[in-house]
Amino acid sequence: MIAGAGPDTPLQQSFVSLRHGGRAVGAGVLVAERLVLTCAHVVNSALGRDRFDQDTPGPGDPVTLRLPHVAAGRDLTGRVVRELWSPPRATAAASTPVRPGQVPYHGDLAVLELDAAPPAGAEPAPFLQHSYANETIALWASGNPLPAVRAVPRVSAPPWIALDVLGGAEVTEGFSGGPLWDRARQAVVGLVAAVHRTPEPAAPGAPPTTMYAISVPAIEAELPALPPPAVPTARRGVQQLLTALERVLQGHEAVQDCEERLAARLGRPSAGPAADLERLVGLAVGVRRGIPELLDLVRDHAHQPAAGPYDPHPRPGHHGAREDWERLRRAARTVRPGEYLTTRQRRDLSGLLAHCTRTDPRTLLERVLPHAPELPAVAGLADVMDALEGFSSLTGAPVPPLLQGVVRISVEERAAGAYPSEDLDAWVERVGARSGVDEAAVSQFRADVVAAAAPVHTPAPGPTGGAAPRVQVELLPTATGRRFTYQIWTLADPRTHRLALVRDAEAGSEQVVDDIRRVLRTEVREDPETALVEYFLPSAWLGLDVDSWESPDGDEDGPFVPGITRRVVVRTTERSRESYAGWKQRTAALPHAKHLVLDERHTDRRVARAQLEVHRDAGTVIVCCPPDHHGTLLRQCVQAGVHTVLWHRDEHGAQLARDLLDLVDGADHTEVPEVVRLERAKAIAEPESTAHHGRRLSLLYDAPDHRPPQLAPDAWVLTQP
């Protein structure tokens, strides 16, 4: 039915529509000749069940499907493959139900096996891991190209990818389970799972809708029994690979043996006696992780014992053939630069990383790639491994970045016990040996990492030991600025960032504070240091006096005033690429940064911006001007990447500017929130002193160790498309 080959032909040949009662309810994608991948909640909808039903559909629960671009009017029947059913669950480890509004959740994947062969023209889709630079498209359940959505991946937040919707149709029910198609790379990069939608009508300048998709690594981890999906046909390096294989696999029997075993590993049919090098390479380059699987099999074949003392063909690892083996490995990296591990090696590593709790993902990436011009966004150790797998040892380092990362994790985790550190070491030893990495080089690298870590002193528990827990409140004000929807996150350390509460019905400031108190009591263990409360606001609403909000005097403890008993700071959710560049520059200048005052002389936006450009090393800015100019100057500071802005919401003048400068003078940037909290407390403790500058004192604080959460969008009205 496809008239001609176009840019989306592979998508159209594989796109599947799931139906219930004669209408499309969701989508899926053909991943093998008779296997369809989709979301479990889409299968439940197609069967007329509750969206989050956990029970595995049986053989008596047929699902109606169509391939709308191949045979539009023909209904097909598929049934759930029992071992490939992964219903939605709240956590990665336990099969607990998903709470309303919880994001992200885990699982939500299913595979259907067609009762009969698909129509002529249907082809399994190629898959690749997503790229942050590429625009993607998603089709509605019917497959009609008109209601298509265009989106760009913003951040990986395993098991999901968050994408900013750029245009096209509104993301509504029916997109779920459908393939996320990267037109530039000609591959599926995920399955659409959910969307956060801005409330109607959207405020002027509102951020784009955020769409979520289940990533390819998450699909592979959730469904280990799923046959490896196809990948786009590789061209670069294929001739190099063929030439290198001819030198290592000599003779038809060797080629046939490797082809049969590779086909069995990849779940593809073997050509049998007709196998040749072109068929072997074509099989490997056509399947995700097929190249690492090929190298693994060729290594096993090449390491078989020699036929006799006069065997004319030396093996890799023997002196005469090491150069050929290295040539083969270089060719393989040219064909698939982002694939180093076999499917089983990657799965084994993911299982070990799930037990690692001490290693910070971002810090690990920075240590392994200290000279990378731009590091990818990561939200977990598995995400770091996916990033490192794509980096080669371009500097000639004997240990590739991926193995360096695992060695560093092992060293850091050893302080918590032998497991999983010793198993990580064994994994590195085994994978390194099979990849041709010298064992002595790995041992020396590990010794260097241990020696570098030895002098580090771990602070004893106490008032200054460890990072304080944080409560992050993301507010979306209404037009009046008096009612809000919001969600509250808790952050105990960089690895335990979790959503604690969602309120999508409008509430007042007293309800916000009550919910903060509830989260502090039930979700946060406040030792060794008092929690920090962070309010995230759109830049247009930075003037909201959230730091002075309190709950009503409703119990024996009296009103709860976070600004007095907790350190309360204001942050913004709208740092652009340009402002982030300024933020990084000011971070580098913090050790010798000076303070800057913006007063009534700088209320013109051009003057304020010029001052901030001249003082690009200023880490703290004092805003001291009439209150009606606060919003303008605060936005200028955000755009310039300023970390810390201190201002009084009511007063201004030269004396106040001097008082606020004295307040922060000599204080490290990490101490400023506590200094401000104490000034607020002093003002309340002295009721007779109505002029104390601690009253109505506010702090915009976006310091280097306080980056915004990566997953949460600015607005959240959760729907399940």
Side-chain angles (χ1 to χ4, degrees):
M1 185 167 179
I2 299 176
D8 300 329
T9 296
L11 170 65
Q12 295 166 348
Q13 291 174 323
S14 61
F15 187 88
V16 177
S17 173
L18 278 72
R19 308 177 67 80
H20 174 67
R23 64 183 183 89
V25 295
V29 61
L30 201 64
V31 292
E33 183 183 6
R34 292 173 59 173
L35 296 182
V36 173
L37 175 66
T38 183
C39 288
H41 82 260
V42 173
V43 173
N44 283 331
S45 296
L47 293 173
R49 309 196 313 175
D50 180 81
R51 187 187 301 272
F52 290 132
D53 198 324
Q54 302 284 303
D55 296 336
T56 307
D61 296 312
V63 178
T64 302
L65 313 97
R66 285 185 184 177
L67 277 82
H69 298 282
V70 177
R74 177 179 168 184
D75 283 347
L76 305 172
T77 301
R79 302 171 199 275
V80 170
V81 180
R82 176 170 290 275
E83 61 269 24
L84 297 177
W85 170 258
S86 180
R89 62 186 188 279
T91 63
S95 299
T96 52
V98 178
R99 293 181 298 175
Q102 175 181 341
V103 292
Y105 50 80
H106 298 260
D108 201 8
L109 291 167
V111 174
L112 302 170
E113 183 174 13
L114 300 178
D115 289 348
E123 291 288 341
F127 279 69
L128 285 177
Q129 191 168 339
H130 65 278
S131 169
Y132 296 105
N134 288 23
E135 181 178 309
T136 63
I137 63 171
L139 301 180
W140 191 67
S142 67
N144 191 312
L146 291 179
V149 171
R150 297 184 297 110
V152 171
R154 168 162 53 92
V155 68
S156 177
W160 287 0
I161 316 161
L163 304 100
D164 288 329
V165 175
L166 302 181
E170 181 183 356
V171 187
T172 58
E173 291 193 4
F175 280 91
S176 266
L180 192 65
W181 178 248
D182 187 325
R183 182 175 288 171
R185 299 167 71 212
Q186 289 288 284
V188 174
V189 295
L191 291 189
V192 178
V195 64
H196 275 308
R197 226 175 21 196
T198 304
E200 299 294 342
T209 299
T210 299
M211 183 169 70
Y212 296 114
I214 305 173
S215 67
V216 171
I219 294 169
E220 294 173 337
E222 284 285 342
L223 305 176
L226 182 69
V231 293
T233 303
R235 292 179 176 87
R236 182 181 178 186
V238 168
Q239 294 303 314
Q240 301 173 47
L241 189 62
L242 284 166
T243 303
L245 279 171
E246 282 181 337
R247 299 181 65 88
V248 177
L249 293 178
Q250 299 186 358
H252 177 73
E253 290 184 2
V255 174
Q256 181 181 342
D257 177 65
C258 283
E259 193 272 348
E260 289 177 350
R261 291 196 291 161
L262 182 62
R265 279 198 186 189
L266 302 180
R268 300 297 195 270
S270 169
D276 55 17
L277 274 178
E278 283 76 10
R279 159 68 186 179
L280 177 63
V281 170
L283 188 63
V285 301
V287 174
R288 181 162 161 80
R289 298 201 179 274
I291 292 295
E293 298 285 2
L294 172 63
L295 288 187
D296 197 55
L297 286 172
V298 171
R299 179 194 177 279
D300 285 345
H301 175 85
H303 277 76
Q304 291 173 1
Y310 303 106
D311 178 34
H313 305 309
R315 313 297 180 184
H318 294 210
H319 178 73
R322 285 181 182 171
E323 185 177 342
D324 291 340
W325 181 246
E326 287 303 314
R327 184 180 182 183
L328 176 61
R329 291 180 59 245
R330 288 195 301 270
R333 291 292 285 179
T334 301
V335 176
R336 283 282 180 264
E339 295 181 359
Y340 185 87
L341 304 176
T342 67
T343 301
R344 182 170 293 279
Q345 289 168 348
R346 183 67 179 85
R347 192 181 306 154
D348 291 344
L349 178 59
S350 296
L352 293 171
L353 295 178
H355 297 276
C356 298
T357 59
R358 300 175 60 87
T359 308
D360 174 55
R362 184 69 184 183
T363 302
L364 174 65
L365 197 60
E366 292 170 348
R367 289 176 177 172
V368 178
L369 304 173
H371 305 298
E374 188 72 25
L375 293 176
V378 293
L381 292 179
D383 214 15
V384 174
M385 295 301 108
D386 289 333
L388 293 180
E389 193 172 1
F391 284 86
S392 301
S393 299
L394 300 177
T395 59
V399 182
L402 175 68
L403 297 187
Q404 289 183 31
V406 181
V407 169
R408 288 185 178 276
I409 294 172
S410 171
V411 171
E412 290 197 31
E413 298 296 324
R414 191 171 297 278
Y419 185 79
S421 181
E422 292 181 352
D423 284 80
L424 287 169
D425 288 342
W427 184 92
V428 169
E429 180 181 350
R430 185 167 182 265
V431 171
R434 299 188 71 83
S435 305
V437 179
D438 188 68
E439 183 179 353
V442 174
S443 298
Q444 183 61 56
F445 179 77
R446 182 180 291 108
D448 292 343
V449 173
V450 171
V456 177
H457 172 66
T458 302
T464 59
R470 287 146 62 189
V471 174
Q472 298 175 324
V473 187
E474 296 187 276
L475 283 175
L476 182 68
T478 60
T480 64
R482 297 187 181 90
R483 306 287 291 177
F484 314 90
T485 56
Y486 52 94
Q487 58 185 359
I488 302 179
W489 298 71
T490 60
L491 182 66
D493 58 63
R495 288 183 54 81
T496 54
H497 187 222
R498 62 179 301 271
L499 183 64
L501 184 146
V502 174
R503 190 172 294 278
D504 54 11
E506 294 180 3
S509 62
E510 292 181 348
Q511 182 64 59
V512 177
V513 176
D514 267 347
D515 284 340
I516 292 173
R517 172 157 54 178
R518 181 168 16 135
V519 169
L520 285 167
R521 286 176 172 176
T522 60
E523 304 286 341
V524 176
R525 181 179 177 183
E526 293 198 67
D527 66 340
E529 196 169 347
T530 301
L532 171 71
V533 177
E534 301 175 317
Y535 283 96
F536 284 85
L537 292 163
S539 60
W541 293 98
L542 289 174
L544 280 175
D545 57 345
V546 294
D547 29 43
S548 61
W549 285 356
E550 61 183 63
S551 68
D553 189 358
D555 57 31
E556 59 184 13
D557 295 332
F560 174 55
V561 188
I564 305 302
T565 59
R566 304 293 189 281
R567 290 165 296 154
V568 172
V569 301
V570 180
R571 300 181 63 189
T572 178
T573 54
E574 296 181 15
R575 285 203 180 274
S576 64
R577 183 181 296 273
E578 180 185 3
S579 73
Y580 182 58
W583 183 92
K584 289 194 292 186
Q585 182 173 349
R586 294 178 192 275
T587 297
L590 271 178
H592 52 82
K594 297 180 180 179
H595 307 320
L596 174 67
V597 175
L598 297 180
D599 54 27
E600 61 272 4
R601 298 171 299 171
H602 309 117
T603 52
D604 184 287
R605 287 184 296 178
R606 292 174 300 172
V607 175
R609 187 55 190 253
Q611 280 286 328
L612 292 167
E613 284 294 320
V614 171
H615 300 280
R616 293 186 68 84
D617 60 344
T620 300
V621 172
I622 306 296
V623 169
C624 192
C625 64
D628 55 337
H629 294 288
H630 284 170
T632 298
L633 291 186
L634 289 173
R635 285 193 290 274
Q636 290 290 318
C637 289
V638 169
Q639 292 171 8
V642 177
H643 299 114
T644 304
V645 183
L646 186 62
W647 78 101
H648 195 285
R649 294 189 181 273
D650 296 331
E651 305 296 334
H652 66 284
Q655 183 58 49
L656 179 64
R658 286 191 292 270
D659 289 344
L660 297 186
L661 281 172
D662 291 341
L663 190 63
V664 297
D665 188 37
D668 184 83
H669 76 274
T670 59
E671 300 170 346
V672 173
E674 178 63 12
V675 169
V676 172
R677 184 188 74 84
L678 289 176
E679 286 301 303
R680 292 176 183 145
K682 290 176 183 177
I684 300 300
E686 302 173 11
E688 68 283 354
S689 177
T690 57
H692 194 289
H693 60 237
R695 297 180 184 274
R696 308 280 287 166
L697 195 60
S698 292
L699 177 64
L700 174 66
Y701 187 71
D702 211 1
D705 56 341
H706 290 69
R707 299 306 303 140
Q710 293 178 314
L711 173 63
D714 298 337
W716 53 95
V717 176
L718 184 63
T719 63
Q720 297 292 336

